[in-house]
Amino acid sequence: MPFGNTHNQLKMNYTAEQEYPDLSKHNNHMAKVLTLEMYANLRDKQTPSGFTLDDVIQTGVDNPGHPFIMTVGCVAGDEETYEVFKDLLDPVIEDRHGGYKPTDKHKTDLNPDNLQGGDDLDPNYVLSSRVRTGRSIRGFCLPPHCSRGERRGIEGLSVEALGALDGDLKGKYYALKDMTEEEQQQLIDDHFLFDKPVSPLLLASGMARDWPDARGIWHNDNKTFLVWVNEEDHLRVISMQKGGNMKEVFTRFCTGLTKIEELFKEKGHEFMWNEHLGYVLTCPSNLGTGLRGGVHVKLPNLSKHEKFGEILKRLRLQKRGTGGVDTAAVGGVFDISNADRLGFSEVELVQMVVDGVKLLVDMEKCLEAGQSIDDLMPEQK
Amino acid sequence: MASSFARILSSKRKVGILSLVGAGSLTVGFFLNREQHVNAGAHVRRIYPPSLVLFPNSAEYPDLRKHNNCMASHLSPAVYAKLCNKTTPNGYTLDEAIQTGVDNPGHPFIKTVGMVAGDEESYEVFADLFNPVIKERHNGYDPCNMKHPTDLDSSKIRGGQFDEKYVLSSRVRTGRSIRGLSLPPACTRAERREVEKVVVDALAGLKGDLAGKYYSLTQMTEQEQQQLIDDHFLFDKPVSPLLTCAGMARDWPDARGIWHNNEKTFLVWINEEDHTRVISMEKGGNMRRVFERFCKGLQEVERLIQEKGWEFMWNERLGYILTCPSNLGTGLRAGVHVTLPRLSKDARFPKILDNLRLQKRGTGGVDTAAVGNTFDISNLDRLGQSEVQLVQTVIDGVNYLIECEKKLERGQDIKIPAPISQFK
């Protein structure tokens, strides 16, 4: 339980009506789905580690949402949350992940050889390439619910596994609470440092408790492979480099992840994964691959075109500003990445990004030359 | 119904070996072999598959090395070990009580309390930590062997009408909690709604100069909201991490609201930082009348809730029970906005305030700056003296400050008063 008396002992003295949250002004996936009847059916349940329905939905109750942006409004406190509260989470997942059904199976494919092309995106337009995902360590509670001891356990295991990486993956861990001023400045300059979450979406779920205890950043000496420990998930894994060689980025991503997984298994630990939901993470929006593969790309002309939004939609891509989610584009440079997470494999998603960005750059070049892009309009993927 | 309460069964559980090896982590190579008694009302730190067992207390103990708050000063590993597996009857735990202090290390100059109560029983179950924190925060008041006097008989006040050339406004505030319902850090939505109902029903029974109206935060109109802002009555969702980390802003704005009398001199906040905050205030210097209304209003509300079978949380050790240990006892802050252009520049000002057991704040309240020589001056103490005693202290003290200001106006010298005794 993140805070307060969110466990059931006391609540069951009151009726479901008395406890049911007021969601009349809310616009998030949880609020769309959680009827009084569903609340009544689920409220006496809890996962083996004690995570309750009210724990799951607290962030969605506290953050009514925005008319234009549909947030998820619920989080998992452990792997079992997705089972115990499936009556709520299945429809949320279906809504968020484009109709993904409770019976659907998710394919995992981390073989970079299956990616075609991707090594030749025009560096005059594609400034940088990046792939990120998350991983959770089976047997430990997730950031909204973990105790300090668990969080430290996660850190300890992660640091040990990462410490065994070698070759171009060899690197160093910087614990948030121990780093020196110089180390901190370097990490800021490298754009690697993450800070305590300020978004009320995250704070309301309890994942910032005990900050900065057991949080840290690991990166390889080449600064192309980066792992965040105990931020919004147990691990966030990022592979990135300047330029347009997404193939190289993805290869390192897969190699690194596979190696880390092996190292964990040697110590008797595995990642949370199942064949329905793929990799299990804190937020339902990151299930499946948890993968966001993207580029920073210059599209000053195309971004002003009336069909830009439609093109992205058909390519199953989304745009963000260069500061990441909820930021604005600067100087015509956009962050373009896959819109999907679940129901497609890692290779499939990165393939969409590679093929899609190639097309976007071609369109940009056409518009630069004063040509129409009507012939280049893609089909809906 | 899921058998989710299996752990609340009487059983002895033998906890196995824990070994977590991690570079630099506190859990390096730790062996644990102890028996854990699990019984009704006890809360077991989580055990779950595959075979990962309870974390030892040392792995759970917070890192307080960079902390400067009362909780951190008194939460030794031994105290943590003693209390971490206890819960109140409602299920509130030590980790929940201290979370705000763990999350907010504090400031070298300002020592915050760093812990809250989730219910009335917190002060008992976690007394081993609360008592030294209370003693430190309340300047030596020892809950183990002292009693707190409650006195709301405003007729005992002497004087209390300030020179309005200096005193711009007068105000007295306190808080009250409804016995039997959890406090804001821990309450469920239904409990919070029940607090609202109990208090709003009682306030509806107030008559005469106390008759007024309730404005629920979820239902107020735009005009009502603007009026409340103009009157400086509206409170908003807490932004201070000291409060949000304790969980008291959950479900905002559900069951929160503001009640005030028609004359706008008696105001009650519902479900903000406490179940209720009660405020009596007026422009000008008639602190006596402000306190009279304060006492009358509080006693009336108490009578009205008692008619329905409710009462306020109170005991003779700690007085009125509120969420933050700093507000125990009277929970009372009586103060004025007073202009002291010369005295405030005198180097002896802080010492004078100190000896009078007063504190200054800016006119925006706690942690704000003074504007144009106008200060908020109020009592320092909350616990160990009665309401009457504290208000008298403020009256006598502010009169002294005004006398000093007048002397300085006339070119006369002023004296630092002898320190007044703390516990009477």
Side-chain angles (χ1 to χ4, degrees):
Chain A
M1 56 208 90
F3 7 54
N5 193 4
T6 51
H7 68 69
N8 290 331
Q9 196 173 323
L10 190 61
K11 277 193 286 255
M12 299 311 293
N13 293 334
Y14 294 89
T15 67
E17 282 86 352
Q18 288 170 323
E19 288 289 356
Y20 182 65
D22 179 355
L23 301 172
S24 53
K25 298 199 175 99
H26 286 59
N27 183 43
N28 57 53
H29 287 295
M30 179 278 292
K32 270 176 79 178
V33 166
L34 186 70
T35 58
L36 171 59
E37 196 192 337
M38 185 186 284
Y39 184 80
N41 288 336
L42 293 178
R43 74 184 190 117
D44 62 345
K45 299 195 193 317
Q46 55 192 54
T47 67
S49 76
F51 204 62
T52 66
L53 177 67
D54 282 304
D55 290 328
V56 173
I57 67 173
Q58 191 67 56
T59 178
V61 175
D62 287 349
N63 296 289
H66 192 274
F68 302 154
I69 303 170
M70 190 80 157
T71 44
V72 175
C74 49
V75 292
D78 53 23
E79 192 167 6
E80 294 80 1
T81 301
Y82 288 102
E83 259 309 303
V84 174
F85 300 110
K86 63 195 325 309
D87 288 345
L88 168 66
L89 292 172
D90 279 349
V92 165
I93 289 167
E94 188 164 346
D95 207 6
R96 179 65 176 206
H97 292 282
Y100 193 79
K101 304 243 171 313
T103 46
D104 285 341
K105 300 259 185 288
H106 171 81
K107 200 164 47 129
T108 293
D109 182 359
L110 282 162
N111 183 351
D113 295 336
N114 291 339
L115 182 71
Q116 292 169 17
D119 53 353
D120 60 351
L121 298 173
D122 189 337
N124 292 316
Y125 294 83
V126 178
L127 307 178
S128 60
S129 307
R130 181 184 188 264
V131 182
R132 69 88 161 150
T133 187
R135 291 290 185 264
S136 311
I137 305 177
R138 179 160 278 161
F140 290 83
C141 289
L142 296 169
H145 190 40
C146 64
S147 71
R148 277 183 295 275
E150 286 182 284
R151 201 186 295 113
R152 291 161 176 172
I154 292 158
E155 183 191 37
L157 288 172
S158 303
V159 169
E160 203 194 345
L162 295 166
L165 291 173
D166 58 11
D168 75 317
L169 291 177
K170 184 166 158 315
K172 186 176 165 182
Y173 180 67
Y174 303 85
L176 248 56
K177 64 177 180 170
D178 294 333
M179 64 175 64
T180 66
E181 289 258 13
E182 292 87 352
E183 286 170 340
Q184 186 175 307
Q185 193 52 54
Q186 187 59 55
L187 287 165
I188 290 172
D189 295 339
D190 291 327
H191 306 288
F192 284 173
L193 188 66
F194 66 87
D195 209 352
K196 181 171 177 175
V198 293
S199 163
L201 299 174
L202 299 182
L203 296 176
S205 72
M207 36 180 111
R209 285 169 303 128
D210 314 311
W211 203 275
D213 196 312
R215 273 82 168 190
I217 293 159
W218 179 97
H219 69 78
N220 66 349
D221 298 334
N222 297 339
K223 298 187 182 179
T224 53
F225 193 69
L226 170 68
V227 177
W228 291 352
V229 179
N230 285 319
E231 194 235 13
E232 191 183 330
D233 279 292
H234 287 173
L235 301 168
R236 283 288 179 95
V237 178
I238 301 150
S239 170
M240 61 206 243
Q241 64 195 53
K242 293 236 180 284
N245 195 339
M246 180 61 94
K247 173 101 179 176
E248 201 171 84
V249 169
F250 186 57
T251 303
R252 186 184 313 111
F253 176 82
C254 296
T255 311
L257 270 175
T258 309
K259 278 222 169 68
I260 293 170
E261 186 160 17
E262 276 166 23
L263 289 161
F264 271 104
K265 285 206 168 118
E266 277 173 22
K267 301 283 169 164
H269 294 279
E270 45 182 14
F271 292 144
M272 290 185 197
W273 181 93
N274 64 62
E275 58 173 12
H276 167 52
L277 295 178
Y279 288 102
V280 175
L281 294 176
T282 304
C283 181
S285 69
N286 281 320
L287 290 167
T289 59
L291 186 144
R292 193 170 92 83
V295 298
H296 282 188
V297 57
K298 281 197 257 197
L299 301 170
N301 293 297
L302 182 58
S303 57
K304 294 194 189 68
H305 195 282
E306 56 170 7
K307 292 224 170 75
F308 186 42
E310 176 63 23
I311 294 166
L312 289 176
K313 185 166 163 296
R314 292 189 188 183
L315 293 173
R316 306 193 74 87
L317 299 176
Q318 76 176 185
K319 75 180 197 302
R320 298 180 182 192
T322 48
V325 67
D326 298 332
T327 64
V330 174
V333 180
F334 286 81
D335 175 320
I336 302 288
S337 64
N338 52 294
D340 302 293
R341 303 273 182 273
L342 174 64
F344 298 90
S345 75
E346 289 82 354
V347 166
E348 284 168 346
L349 291 176
V350 176
Q351 192 70 63
M352 278 189 235
V353 173
V354 158
D355 297 345
V357 169
K358 212 170 168 103
L359 180 63
L360 294 175
V361 169
D362 285 345
M363 286 178 162
E364 178 68 23
K365 287 173 176 170
C366 272
L367 291 173
E368 268 177 38
Q371 294 164 357
S372 149
I373 55 169
D374 291 343
D375 295 342
L376 297 174
M377 284 296 287
E379 296 290 307
Q380 174 68 55
K381 277 185 179 277
Chain B
M1 182 160 164
S3 61
S4 37
F5 299 110
R7 59 194 174 146
I8 308 180
L9 295 172
S10 219
S11 67
K12 265 196 186 168
R13 198 187 303 242
K14 195 154 196 160
V15 174
I17 293 167
L18 171 71
S19 65
L20 280 180
V21 181
S25 104
L26 291 175
T27 58
V28 174
F30 194 94
F31 276 81
L32 174 68
N33 199 344
R34 67 170 194 242
E35 286 181 356
Q36 185 77 17
H37 217 93
V38 180
N39 50 38
H43 171 79
V44 178
R45 187 160 294 125
R46 299 184 295 264
I47 303 176
Y48 52 93
S51 60
L52 207 61
V53 294
L54 277 182
F55 285 77
N57 300 330
S58 58
E60 294 290 356
Y61 181 70
D63 182 350
L64 301 172
R65 290 172 295 173
K66 294 198 175 106
H67 287 60
N68 182 42
N69 57 51
C70 297
M71 178 278 292
S73 296
H74 298 284
L75 185 67
S76 64
V79 172
Y80 185 80
K82 187 170 176 197
L83 299 179
C84 67
N85 287 320
K86 293 194 190 324
T87 74
T88 67
N90 293 330
Y92 198 66
T93 65
L94 178 73
D95 281 319
E96 287 164 341
I98 65 172
Q99 190 68 61
T100 179
V102 175
D103 288 348
N104 297 289
H107 192 273
F109 301 153
I110 302 169
K111 197 160 188 185
T112 43
V113 175
M115 66 187 302
V116 291
D119 51 22
E120 190 167 6
E121 294 82 358
S122 295
Y123 287 105
E124 287 307 314
V125 175
F126 307 117
D128 285 331
L129 179 59
F130 271 113
N131 285 351
V133 164
I134 288 166
K135 192 168 175 188
E136 179 181 347
R137 179 61 180 212
H138 293 280
N139 305 302
Y141 181 87
D142 190 345
C144 297
N145 54 36
M146 291 165 77
K147 287 205 182 14
H148 169 81
T150 292
D151 187 354
L152 285 161
D153 181 359
S154 58
S155 69
K156 292 180 181 160
I157 293 292
R158 299 178 314 272
Q161 172 72 63
F162 297 119
D163 185 337
E164 293 187 352
K165 186 163 162 255
Y166 302 91
V167 173
L168 309 176
S169 61
S170 308
R171 181 184 188 266
V172 182
R173 70 87 159 150
T174 189
R176 291 288 186 267
S177 310
I178 308 295
R179 176 161 279 161
L181 295 168
S182 303
L183 295 170
C187 64
T188 72
R189 274 183 297 275
E191 285 187 292
R192 199 185 296 112
R193 291 163 178 170
E194 180 133 52
V195 168
E196 184 188 36
K197 182 170 188 318
V198 168
V199 176
V200 169
D201 280 352
L203 293 168
L206 292 176
K207 299 190 179 7
D209 69 320
L210 290 178
K213 186 175 167 187
Y214 181 61
Y215 303 86
S216 135
L217 247 58
T218 55
Q219 280 154 24
M220 64 174 63
T221 66
E222 288 259 9
Q223 294 88 336
E224 286 170 339
Q225 188 175 306
Q226 194 52 53
Q227 187 60 54
L228 287 165
I229 291 172
D230 295 340
D231 290 329
H232 306 287
F233 284 172
L234 189 64
F235 66 87
D236 207 353
K237 182 171 177 176
V239 293
S240 164
L242 299 175
L243 301 182
T244 54
C245 290
M248 30 184 117
R250 286 170 302 129
D251 313 312
W252 201 275
D254 196 309
R256 273 83 168 191
I258 292 157
W259 180 99
H260 68 79
N261 66 348
N262 299 329
E263 297 176 16
K264 299 187 182 178
T265 54
F266 193 67
L267 170 67
V268 178
W269 290 353
I270 294 176
N271 285 319
E272 193 238 10
E273 189 182 333
D274 278 294
H275 283 176
T276 67
R277 285 290 179 93
V278 178
I279 302 149
S280 171
M281 60 206 241
E282 296 180 13
K283 291 238 179 288
N286 199 338
M287 177 62 92
R288 174 190 207 88
R289 190 165 61 199
V290 167
F291 187 54
E292 278 168 359
R293 186 182 312 110
F294 176 83
C295 295
K296 180 169 145 211
L298 274 173
Q299 284 157 340
E300 260 303 283
V301 172
E302 185 159 20
R303 189 185 64 75
L304 287 160
I305 65 167
Q306 278 168 347
E307 273 178 12
K308 300 280 170 80
W310 297 93
E311 49 181 11
F312 291 143
M313 291 183 194
W314 180 93
N315 69 54
E316 61 176 8
R317 233 175 28 100
L318 298 176
Y320 288 102
I321 303 294
L322 294 176
T323 303
C324 181
S326 69
N327 283 320
L328 290 167
T330 59
L332 185 141
R333 193 171 91 84
V336 296
H337 282 187
V338 59
T339 314
L340 302 166
R342 289 170 187 73
L343 181 58
S344 59
K345 296 189 188 61
D346 193 296
R348 294 165 286 187
F349 187 41
K351 184 70 179 152
I352 292 171
L353 287 175
D354 218 46
N355 285 4
L356 293 173
R357 299 210 68 74
L358 297 175
Q359 82 176 176
K360 76 178 198 305
R361 300 181 180 190
T363 47
V366 68
D367 299 331
T368 64
V371 174
N373 302 315
T374 303
F375 291 84
D376 176 323
I377 303 288
S378 64
N379 51 295
L380 256 179
D381 303 304
R382 304 267 183 273
L383 174 63
Q385 292 187 67
S386 73
E387 290 81 355
V388 165
Q389 286 167 334
L390 291 175
V391 172
Q392 194 65 59
T393 298
V394 171
I395 288 170
D396 297 341
V398 169
N399 280 334
Y400 191 90
L401 296 176
I402 292 172
E403 279 313 304
C404 287
E405 183 67 27
K406 286 176 172 170
K407 282 193 166 137
L408 292 171
E409 276 172 29
R410 298 192 291 261
Q412 292 170 333
D413 197 20
I414 60 173
K415 269 175 26 172
I416 298 177
I420 62 179
S421 67
Q422 199 180 305
F423 300 123
K424 299 197 166 96

